[in-house]
Amino acid sequence: MKRFAHRLVSLRLSLPPAPALLLALALAYTLPGLLGHDPWKTEDAIGTGIVHQMLRHGEWLVPSLAGEPFLEDGPLYYWVAAGFAWLGSPVLEPHNGARLASAALMLLVLVLARMAARELYGKPEGDAAALALLGSLGLFLHAHETLGEVGMLAAHALALFAVALARRRPALAGVLLGAGWGAAL
């Protein structure tokens, strides 16, 4: 028993983690729970309904639900979700395909937060920022739903990265900041 306890104590996670380990943790965070079930809660069903309206009725400019405009969120997330649903349609049900947009955008959030922290503070802190997001349990639940706020989070992460990049590359930072703010709106 002492030998086993000694081995457990000797296993340590070095910081910053290897890029492959960080990628494995990010995929383990984003992928499980996305596929193989009906829309979970009200918000998941609303997002799926909006994507359905876009794909069936071609209502691309203003998201709508049951024929009524849905103006709580901008259309960007739903465009991405509709694209994933359309691309996955040969093998996935539309609600499962649409949920893949949340996984892709959450991976983008992790990458952008990591890049922003690296730009501002250095490599270990960048990895720590990504690990801190991975440890956010409240975010975990909503990251697996068809939710417009996931798109807004990705847009804000892009804007945050742009602000971090401004000292070194001001022109590119201005373009990215405008794109992030525009996507959030």
Side-chain angles (χ1 to χ4, degrees), residues 55-152:
L55 292 173
R56 284 283 167 112
H57 303 291
E59 297 174 7
W60 292 95
L61 190 55
V62 177
S64 63
L65 183 62
E68 296 292 321
F70 186 82
L71 303 174
E72 287 184 26
D73 304 316
L76 181 65
Y77 173 82
Y78 301 109
W79 291 339
V80 174
F84 273 96
W86 180 75
L87 287 172
S89 64
V91 291
L92 295 174
E93 293 175 346
H95 60 274
N96 284 326
R99 240 183 256 119
L100 291 176
S102 292
L105 290 172
M106 281 307 302
L107 287 173
L108 181 63
V109 166
L110 290 167
V111 167
L112 289 170
R114 181 177 184 241
M115 289 170 52
R118 278 181 158 210
E119 191 68 35
L120 290 171
Y121 304 110
K123 184 179 182 204
E125 289 81 1
D127 293 341
L131 288 172
L133 275 175
L134 288 173
S136 302
L137 295 178
L139 183 60
F140 180 77
L141 175 65
H142 297 298
H144 293 83
E145 296 177 345
T146 311
L147 203 59
E149 284 82 357
V150 175
M152 191 173 297

